[in-house]
mmCIF file of all heavy atoms in Angstrom:
data_model
loop_
_atom_site.group_PDB
_atom_site.id
_atom_site.type_symbol
_atom_site.label_atom_id
_atom_site.label_comp_id
_atom_site.label_asym_id
_atom_site.label_seq_id
_atom_site.Cartn_x
_atom_site.Cartn_y
_atom_site.Cartn_z
ATOM 1 N N GLU D 1 279.877 286.016 -19.509
ATOM 2 C CA GLU D 1 278.586 286.287 -20.148
ATOM 3 C C GLU D 1 277.545 286.543 -19.077
ATOM 4 O O GLU D 1 277.497 285.820 -18.066
ATOM 5 C CB GLU D 1 278.165 285.101 -21.018
ATOM 6 C CG GLU D 1 276.762 285.213 -21.603
ATOM 7 C CD GLU D 1 276.384 284.014 -22.468
ATOM 8 O OE1 GLU D 1 277.305 283.393 -23.065
ATOM 9 O OE2 GLU D 1 275.185 283.672 -22.533
ATOM 10 N N ILE D 2 276.722 287.565 -19.286
ATOM 11 C CA ILE D 2 275.619 287.882 -18.374
ATOM 12 C C ILE D 2 274.326 287.833 -19.168
ATOM 13 O O ILE D 2 274.123 288.615 -20.100
ATOM 14 C CB ILE D 2 275.782 289.279 -17.749
ATOM 15 C CG1 ILE D 2 277.116 289.411 -17.010
ATOM 16 C CG2 ILE D 2 274.618 289.570 -16.794
ATOM 17 C CD1 ILE D 2 277.429 290.826 -16.552
ATOM 18 N N ASP D 3 273.443 286.912 -18.824
ATOM 19 C CA ASP D 3 272.140 286.788 -19.484
ATOM 20 C C ASP D 3 271.078 287.455 -18.614
ATOM 21 O O ASP D 3 270.672 286.906 -17.593
ATOM 22 C CB ASP D 3 271.798 285.315 -19.711
ATOM 23 C CG ASP D 3 272.808 284.615 -20.615
ATOM 24 O OD1 ASP D 3 273.315 285.274 -21.533
ATOM 25 O OD2 ASP D 3 273.085 283.420 -20.390
ATOM 26 N N ILE D 4 270.654 288.629 -19.028
ATOM 27 C CA ILE D 4 269.665 289.388 -18.264
ATOM 28 C C ILE D 4 268.277 288.782 -18.428
ATOM 29 O O ILE D 4 267.480 288.740 -17.486
ATOM 30 C CB ILE D 4 269.670 290.861 -18.708
ATOM 31 C CG1 ILE D 4 271.071 291.465 -18.518
ATOM 32 C CG2 ILE D 4 268.620 291.667 -17.943
ATOM 33 C CD1 ILE D 4 271.228 292.843 -19.142
ATOM 34 N N MET D 5 267.989 288.308 -19.620
ATOM 35 C CA MET D 5 266.689 287.692 -19.903
ATOM 36 C C MET D 5 266.843 286.679 -21.024
ATOM 37 O O MET D 5 267.397 286.980 -22.071
ATOM 38 C CB MET D 5 265.670 288.760 -20.325
ATOM 39 C CG MET D 5 264.237 288.245 -20.551
ATOM 40 S SD MET D 5 263.937 287.211 -22.022
ATOM 41 C CE MET D 5 264.441 288.302 -23.350
ATOM 42 N N GLU D 6 266.359 285.469 -20.785
ATOM 43 C CA GLU D 6 266.189 284.470 -21.836
ATOM 44 C C GLU D 6 264.815 283.837 -21.648
ATOM 45 O O GLU D 6 264.365 283.622 -20.518
ATOM 46 C CB GLU D 6 267.254 283.390 -21.768
ATOM 47 C CG GLU D 6 268.659 283.850 -22.088
ATOM 48 C CD GLU D 6 269.638 282.690 -22.073
ATOM 49 O OE1 GLU D 6 270.069 282.300 -20.968
ATOM 50 O OE2 GLU D 6 269.962 282.180 -23.157
ATOM 51 N N HIS D 7 264.193 283.511 -22.763
ATOM 52 C CA HIS D 7 262.860 282.903 -22.723
ATOM 53 C C HIS D 7 262.760 281.912 -23.873
ATOM 54 O O HIS D 7 263.120 282.246 -25.012
ATOM 55 C CB HIS D 7 261.784 283.991 -22.860
ATOM 56 C CG HIS D 7 260.384 283.459 -22.833
ATOM 57 N ND1 HIS D 7 259.719 283.077 -23.971
ATOM 58 C CD2 HIS D 7 259.521 283.263 -21.808
ATOM 59 C CE1 HIS D 7 258.497 282.660 -23.652
ATOM 60 N NE2 HIS D 7 258.366 282.764 -22.333
ATOM 61 N N VAL D 8 262.313 280.711 -23.580
ATOM 62 C CA VAL D 8 262.133 279.718 -24.640
ATOM 63 C C VAL D 8 260.645 279.444 -24.813
ATOM 64 O O VAL D 8 259.909 279.263 -23.844
ATOM 65 C CB VAL D 8 262.919 278.419 -24.345
ATOM 66 C CG1 VAL D 8 264.410 278.677 -24.479
ATOM 67 C CG2 VAL D 8 262.606 277.863 -22.975
ATOM 68 N N GLY D 9 260.211 279.428 -26.078
ATOM 69 C CA GLY D 9 258.778 279.434 -26.356
ATOM 70 C C GLY D 9 258.033 278.195 -25.937
ATOM 71 O O GLY D 9 256.812 278.245 -25.756
ATOM 72 N N TRP D 10 258.732 277.061 -25.785
ATOM 73 C CA TRP D 10 258.020 275.862 -25.341
ATOM 74 C C TRP D 10 257.727 275.898 -23.836
ATOM 75 O O TRP D 10 257.041 275.015 -23.320
ATOM 76 C CB TRP D 10 258.793 274.589 -25.701
ATOM 77 C CG TRP D 10 260.250 274.556 -25.337
ATOM 78 C CD1 TRP D 10 261.306 274.777 -26.172
ATOM 79 C CD2 TRP D 10 260.815 274.275 -24.055
ATOM 80 N NE1 TRP D 10 262.498 274.657 -25.490
ATOM 81 C CE2 TRP D 10 262.224 274.347 -24.189
ATOM 82 C CE3 TRP D 10 260.281 273.971 -22.808
ATOM 83 C CZ2 TRP D 10 263.102 274.135 -23.128
ATOM 84 C CZ3 TRP D 10 261.143 273.759 -21.740
ATOM 85 C CH2 TRP D 10 262.542 273.840 -21.910
ATOM 86 N N ASP D 11 258.242 276.900 -23.157
ATOM 87 C CA ASP D 11 258.012 277.037 -21.713
ATOM 88 C C ASP D 11 257.552 278.467 -21.446
ATOM 89 O O ASP D 11 258.249 279.246 -20.807
ATOM 90 C CB ASP D 11 259.310 276.727 -20.969
ATOM 91 C CG ASP D 11 259.115 276.535 -19.465
ATOM 92 O OD1 ASP D 11 257.960 276.575 -19.004
ATOM 93 O OD2 ASP D 11 260.128 276.346 -18.761
ATOM 94 N N PRO D 12 256.360 278.832 -21.933
ATOM 95 C CA PRO D 12 255.965 280.239 -21.936
ATOM 96 C C PRO D 12 255.844 280.826 -20.541
ATOM 97 O O PRO D 12 255.285 280.215 -19.632
ATOM 98 C CB PRO D 12 254.606 280.224 -22.651
ATOM 99 C CG PRO D 12 254.098 278.837 -22.471
ATOM 100 C CD PRO D 12 255.304 277.953 -22.478
ATOM 101 N N GLY D 13 256.441 282.007 -20.389
ATOM 102 C CA GLY D 13 256.350 282.732 -19.133
ATOM 103 C C GLY D 13 257.502 282.495 -18.189
ATOM 104 O O GLY D 13 257.657 283.243 -17.219
ATOM 105 N N ARG D 14 258.330 281.485 -18.434
ATOM 106 C CA ARG D 14 259.463 281.240 -17.547
ATOM 107 C C ARG D 14 260.664 282.038 -18.072
ATOM 108 O O ARG D 14 261.216 281.731 -19.131
ATOM 109 C CB ARG D 14 259.814 279.763 -17.457
ATOM 110 C CG ARG D 14 260.931 279.489 -16.432
ATOM 111 C CD ARG D 14 261.256 278.000 -16.333
ATOM 112 N NE ARG D 14 260.095 277.236 -15.935
ATOM 113 C CZ ARG D 14 259.661 277.102 -14.682
ATOM 114 N NH1 ARG D 14 260.309 277.715 -13.689
ATOM 115 N NH2 ARG D 14 258.595 276.381 -14.409
ATOM 116 N N VAL D 15 261.076 283.049 -17.316
ATOM 117 C CA VAL D 15 262.153 283.939 -17.722
ATOM 118 C C VAL D 15 263.398 283.603 -16.916
ATOM 119 O O VAL D 15 263.354 283.504 -15.680
ATOM 120 C CB VAL D 15 261.749 285.414 -17.508
ATOM 121 C CG1 VAL D 15 262.899 286.339 -17.870
ATOM 122 C CG2 VAL D 15 260.515 285.743 -18.350
ATOM 123 N N HIS D 16 264.519 283.441 -17.610
ATOM 124 C CA HIS D 16 265.766 283.006 -16.996
ATOM 125 C C HIS D 16 266.776 284.145 -16.915
ATOM 126 O O HIS D 16 266.844 285.005 -17.795
ATOM 127 C CB HIS D 16 266.390 281.876 -17.814
ATOM 128 C CG HIS D 16 265.529 280.665 -17.953
ATOM 129 N ND1 HIS D 16 265.659 279.561 -17.137
ATOM 130 C CD2 HIS D 16 264.512 280.382 -18.810
ATOM 131 C CE1 HIS D 16 264.766 278.642 -17.488
ATOM 132 N NE2 HIS D 16 264.066 279.127 -18.496
ATOM 133 N N GLY D 17 267.584 284.129 -15.851
ATOM 134 C CA GLY D 17 268.745 284.993 -15.716
ATOM 135 C C GLY D 17 269.929 284.121 -15.317
ATOM 136 O O GLY D 17 269.814 283.296 -14.408
ATOM 137 N N THR D 18 271.071 284.296 -15.994
ATOM 138 C CA THR D 18 272.189 283.375 -15.817
ATOM 139 C C THR D 18 273.508 284.112 -16.027
ATOM 140 O O THR D 18 273.562 285.081 -16.780
ATOM 141 C CB THR D 18 272.106 282.214 -16.834
ATOM 142 O OG1 THR D 18 270.770 281.734 -16.930
ATOM 143 C CG2 THR D 18 273.018 281.062 -16.446
ATOM 144 N N VAL D 19 274.567 283.641 -15.393
ATOM 145 C CA VAL D 19 275.920 284.081 -15.739
ATOM 146 C C VAL D 19 276.745 282.858 -16.109
ATOM 147 O O VAL D 19 276.497 281.743 -15.626
ATOM 148 C CB VAL D 19 276.611 284.864 -14.609
ATOM 149 C CG1 VAL D 19 275.828 286.120 -14.263
ATOM 150 C CG2 VAL D 19 276.833 284.003 -13.383
ATOM 151 N N HIS D 20 277.732 283.088 -16.999
ATOM 152 C CA HIS D 20 278.647 282.033 -17.412
ATOM 153 C C HIS D 20 280.077 282.533 -17.280
ATOM 154 O O HIS D 20 280.397 283.645 -17.720
ATOM 155 C CB HIS D 20 278.389 281.626 -18.868
ATOM 156 C CG HIS D 20 277.031 281.055 -19.095
ATOM 157 N ND1 HIS D 20 276.719 279.737 -18.845
ATOM 158 C CD2 HIS D 20 275.887 281.624 -19.543
ATOM 159 C CE1 HIS D 20 275.448 279.520 -19.137
ATOM 160 N NE2 HIS D 20 274.922 280.657 -19.555
ATOM 161 N N THR D 21 280.922 281.723 -16.662
ATOM 162 C CA THR D 21 282.347 282.007 -16.514
ATOM 163 C C THR D 21 283.098 280.703 -16.806
ATOM 164 O O THR D 21 282.488 279.657 -17.068
ATOM 165 C CB THR D 21 282.677 282.475 -15.093
ATOM 166 O OG1 THR D 21 282.632 281.346 -14.201
ATOM 167 C CG2 THR D 21 281.706 283.547 -14.608
ATOM 168 N N LYS D 22 284.429 280.764 -16.741
ATOM 169 C CA LYS D 22 285.204 279.542 -16.961
ATOM 170 C C LYS D 22 284.859 278.484 -15.919
ATOM 171 O O LYS D 22 284.766 277.284 -16.227
ATOM 172 C CB LYS D 22 286.699 279.854 -16.928
ATOM 173 C CG LYS D 22 287.583 278.663 -17.266
ATOM 174 C CD LYS D 22 289.049 279.050 -17.320
ATOM 175 C CE LYS D 22 289.927 277.850 -17.684
ATOM 176 N NZ LYS D 22 291.362 278.232 -17.753
ATOM 177 N N ALA D 23 284.652 278.903 -14.688
ATOM 178 C CA ALA D 23 284.338 277.960 -13.615
ATOM 179 C C ALA D 23 282.864 277.584 -13.577
ATOM 180 O O ALA D 23 282.513 276.464 -13.168
ATOM 181 C CB ALA D 23 284.758 278.539 -12.268
ATOM 182 N N TYR D 24 282.016 278.507 -13.987
ATOM 183 C CA TYR D 24 280.570 278.311 -13.887
ATOM 184 C C TYR D 24 279.949 278.485 -15.266
ATOM 185 O O TYR D 24 279.794 279.616 -15.746
ATOM 186 C CB TYR D 24 279.970 279.319 -12.908
ATOM 187 C CG TYR D 24 280.602 279.315 -11.538
ATOM 188 C CD1 TYR D 24 281.214 280.462 -11.018
ATOM 189 C CD2 TYR D 24 280.594 278.164 -10.758
ATOM 190 C CE1 TYR D 24 281.793 280.460 -9.759
ATOM 191 C CE2 TYR D 24 281.174 278.156 -9.494
ATOM 192 C CZ TYR D 24 281.765 279.299 -9.000
ATOM 193 O OH TYR D 24 282.341 279.291 -7.754
ATOM 194 N N ASN D 25 279.576 277.371 -15.897
ATOM 195 C CA ASN D 25 278.973 277.449 -17.235
ATOM 196 C C ASN D 25 278.138 276.211 -17.507
ATOM 197 O O ASN D 25 278.308 275.180 -16.853
ATOM 198 C CB ASN D 25 280.055 277.644 -18.302
ATOM 199 C CG ASN D 25 281.017 276.481 -18.372
ATOM 200 O OD1 ASN D 25 280.726 275.455 -18.975
ATOM 201 N ND2 ASN D 25 282.182 276.622 -17.729
ATOM 202 N N HIS D 26 277.253 276.317 -18.499
ATOM 203 C CA HIS D 26 276.290 275.242 -18.718
ATOM 204 C C HIS D 26 276.921 273.982 -19.297
ATOM 205 O O HIS D 26 276.382 272.880 -19.134
ATOM 206 C CB HIS D 26 275.155 275.728 -19.633
ATOM 207 C CG HIS D 26 275.525 275.876 -21.065
ATOM 208 N ND1 HIS D 26 275.417 274.845 -21.970
ATOM 209 C CD2 HIS D 26 276.011 276.924 -21.757
ATOM 210 C CE1 HIS D 26 275.819 275.269 -23.164
ATOM 211 N NE2 HIS D 26 276.179 276.521 -23.049
ATOM 212 N N VAL D 27 278.060 274.113 -19.981
ATOM 213 C CA VAL D 27 278.703 272.934 -20.532
ATOM 214 C C VAL D 27 279.196 272.026 -19.411
ATOM 215 O O VAL D 27 279.087 270.801 -19.474
ATOM 216 C CB VAL D 27 279.860 273.333 -21.464
ATOM 217 C CG1 VAL D 27 280.586 272.101 -21.976
ATOM 218 C CG2 VAL D 27 279.328 274.151 -22.627
ATOM 219 N N ALA D 28 279.719 272.640 -18.351
ATOM 220 C CA ALA D 28 280.148 271.884 -17.168
ATOM 221 C C ALA D 28 278.997 271.638 -16.198
ATOM 222 O O ALA D 28 279.193 271.008 -15.155
ATOM 223 C CB ALA D 28 281.264 272.641 -16.456
ATOM 224 N N ASN D 29 277.813 272.156 -16.542
ATOM 225 C CA ASN D 29 276.623 272.046 -15.681
ATOM 226 C C ASN D 29 276.850 272.713 -14.325
ATOM 227 O O ASN D 29 276.346 272.272 -13.302
ATOM 228 C CB ASN D 29 276.208 270.581 -15.488
ATOM 229 C CG ASN D 29 274.754 270.447 -15.073
ATOM 230 O OD1 ASN D 29 273.919 271.276 -15.429
ATOM 231 N ND2 ASN D 29 274.438 269.414 -14.326
ATOM 232 N N THR D 30 277.602 273.804 -14.359
ATOM 233 C CA THR D 30 277.882 274.556 -13.130
ATOM 234 C C THR D 30 277.399 275.993 -13.220
ATOM 235 O O THR D 30 277.740 276.814 -12.367
ATOM 236 C CB THR D 30 279.396 274.562 -12.846
ATOM 237 O OG1 THR D 30 280.084 275.095 -13.991
ATOM 238 C CG2 THR D 30 279.911 273.167 -12.540
ATOM 239 N N GLN D 31 276.632 276.319 -14.278
ATOM 240 C CA GLN D 31 276.201 277.700 -14.469
ATOM 241 C C GLN D 31 275.421 278.202 -13.257
ATOM 242 O O GLN D 31 274.807 277.421 -12.533
ATOM 243 C CB GLN D 31 275.334 277.839 -15.732
ATOM 244 C CG GLN D 31 273.922 277.311 -15.613
ATOM 245 C CD GLN D 31 273.811 275.824 -15.868
ATOM 246 O OE1 GLN D 31 274.795 275.153 -16.122
ATOM 247 N NE2 GLN D 31 272.595 275.306 -15.806
ATOM 248 N N LYS D 32 275.488 279.508 -13.051
ATOM 249 C CA LYS D 32 274.785 280.131 -11.937
ATOM 250 C C LYS D 32 273.589 280.895 -12.495
ATOM 251 O O LYS D 32 273.746 281.819 -13.303
ATOM 252 C CB LYS D 32 275.713 281.082 -11.181
ATOM 253 C CG LYS D 32 276.916 280.392 -10.534
ATOM 254 C CD LYS D 32 276.496 279.403 -9.461
ATOM 255 C CE LYS D 32 277.700 278.793 -8.769
ATOM 256 N NZ LYS D 32 277.308 277.813 -7.716
ATOM 257 N N GLY D 33 272.405 280.510 -12.073
ATOM 258 C CA GLY D 33 271.237 281.170 -12.625
ATOM 259 C C GLY D 33 269.978 280.888 -11.847
ATOM 260 O O GLY D 33 269.968 280.131 -10.865
ATOM 261 N N SER D 34 268.908 281.493 -12.318
ATOM 262 C CA SER D 34 267.614 281.332 -11.693
ATOM 263 C C SER D 34 266.543 281.643 -12.739
ATOM 264 O O SER D 34 266.856 282.010 -13.874
ATOM 265 C CB SER D 34 267.475 282.263 -10.484
ATOM 266 O OG SER D 34 266.256 282.034 -9.808
ATOM 267 N N SER D 35 265.298 281.493 -12.368
ATOM 268 C CA SER D 35 264.201 281.833 -13.276
ATOM 269 C C SER D 35 263.004 282.295 -12.467
ATOM 270 O O SER D 35 262.910 282.036 -11.262
ATOM 271 C CB SER D 35 263.817 280.636 -14.158
ATOM 272 O OG SER D 35 263.275 279.586 -13.374
ATOM 273 N N ARG D 36 262.111 282.986 -13.162
ATOM 274 C CA ARG D 36 260.886 283.453 -12.525
ATOM 275 C C ARG D 36 259.759 283.348 -13.518
ATOM 276 O O ARG D 36 259.936 283.637 -14.715
ATOM 277 C CB ARG D 36 261.049 284.906 -12.073
ATOM 278 C CG ARG D 36 259.793 285.513 -11.464
ATOM 279 C CD ARG D 36 260.006 286.947 -11.052
ATOM 280 N NE ARG D 36 258.767 287.702 -11.163
ATOM 281 C CZ ARG D 36 258.674 289.023 -11.100
ATOM 282 N NH1 ARG D 36 259.767 289.738 -10.926
ATOM 283 N NH2 ARG D 36 257.524 289.630 -11.213
ATOM 284 N N MET D 37 258.593 282.919 -13.062
ATOM 285 C CA MET D 37 257.426 282.850 -13.936
ATOM 286 C C MET D 37 256.806 284.231 -14.062
ATOM 287 O O MET D 37 256.536 284.902 -13.064
ATOM 288 C CB MET D 37 256.398 281.863 -13.390
ATOM 289 C CG MET D 37 256.803 280.407 -13.523
ATOM 290 S SD MET D 37 257.084 279.873 -15.242
ATOM 291 C CE MET D 37 255.472 280.167 -15.994
ATOM 292 N N VAL D 38 256.590 284.654 -15.290
ATOM 293 C CA VAL D 38 255.919 285.918 -15.613
ATOM 294 C C VAL D 38 254.812 285.545 -16.596
ATOM 295 O O VAL D 38 255.041 285.420 -17.803
ATOM 296 C CB VAL D 38 256.891 286.937 -16.235
ATOM 297 C CG1 VAL D 38 256.185 288.262 -16.498
ATOM 298 C CG2 VAL D 38 258.111 287.144 -15.340
ATOM 299 N N ALA D 39 253.615 285.342 -16.083
ATOM 300 C CA ALA D 39 252.554 284.719 -16.867
ATOM 301 C C ALA D 39 252.249 285.456 -18.164
ATOM 302 O O ALA D 39 251.912 284.842 -19.178
ATOM 303 C CB ALA D 39 251.289 284.589 -16.011
ATOM 304 N N ASP D 40 252.357 286.784 -18.144
ATOM 305 C CA ASP D 40 252.001 287.563 -19.328
ATOM 306 C C ASP D 40 253.240 288.116 -20.046
ATOM 307 O O ASP D 40 253.167 289.146 -20.712
ATOM 308 C CB ASP D 40 251.038 288.690 -18.974
ATOM 309 C CG ASP D 40 251.627 289.677 -17.964
ATOM 310 O OD1 ASP D 40 252.716 289.400 -17.416
ATOM 311 O OD2 ASP D 40 250.991 290.723 -17.726
ATOM 312 N N ALA D 41 254.357 287.426 -19.938
ATOM 313 C CA ALA D 41 255.589 287.921 -20.560
ATOM 314 C C ALA D 41 255.461 288.104 -22.056
ATOM 315 O O ALA D 41 256.150 288.945 -22.644
ATOM 316 C CB ALA D 41 256.746 286.961 -20.247
ATOM 317 N N CYS D 42 254.587 287.321 -22.691
ATOM 318 C CA CYS D 42 254.433 287.387 -24.141
ATOM 319 C C CYS D 42 253.285 288.287 -24.575
ATOM 320 O O CYS D 42 253.056 288.456 -25.787
ATOM 321 C CB CYS D 42 254.234 285.992 -24.713
ATOM 322 S SG CYS D 42 255.642 284.905 -24.445
ATOM 323 N N SER D 43 252.590 288.879 -23.626
ATOM 324 C CA SER D 43 251.468 289.750 -23.990
ATOM 325 C C SER D 43 251.553 291.129 -23.346
ATOM 326 O O SER D 43 250.737 292.003 -23.660
ATOM 327 C CB SER D 43 250.139 289.091 -23.593
ATOM 328 O OG SER D 43 250.091 288.825 -22.199
ATOM 329 N N ALA D 44 252.515 291.341 -22.472
ATOM 330 C CA ALA D 44 252.651 292.623 -21.781
ATOM 331 C C ALA D 44 254.127 292.966 -21.632
ATOM 332 O O ALA D 44 254.994 292.091 -21.636
ATOM 333 C CB ALA D 44 251.978 292.568 -20.407
#
């Protein structure tokens, strides 16, 4: 799985990018990802 963009509304502006594989995934807490703040993500 390749997550190009995820955003959760309780954390406005924080945009996540992540990949999930058998070895690297959130259930095992080994997922590979990062995030970036985009202050106007919800208005622009």
Side-chain angles (χ1 to χ4, degrees):
E1 173 180 331
I2 303 171
D3 299 325
I4 302 170
M5 184 289 301
E6 293 183 279
H7 180 270
V8 290
W10 49 259
D11 193 4
R14 185 179 301 279
V15 177
H16 300 263
T18 317
V19 299
H20 297 277
T21 74
K22 185 176 181 179
Y24 305 120
N25 63 81
H26 74 89
V27 177
N29 201 30
T30 56
Q31 75 276 1
K32 297 296 184 180
S34 185
S35 66
R36 177 181 149 192
M37 288 300 300
V38 183
D40 60 351
C42 297
S43 59

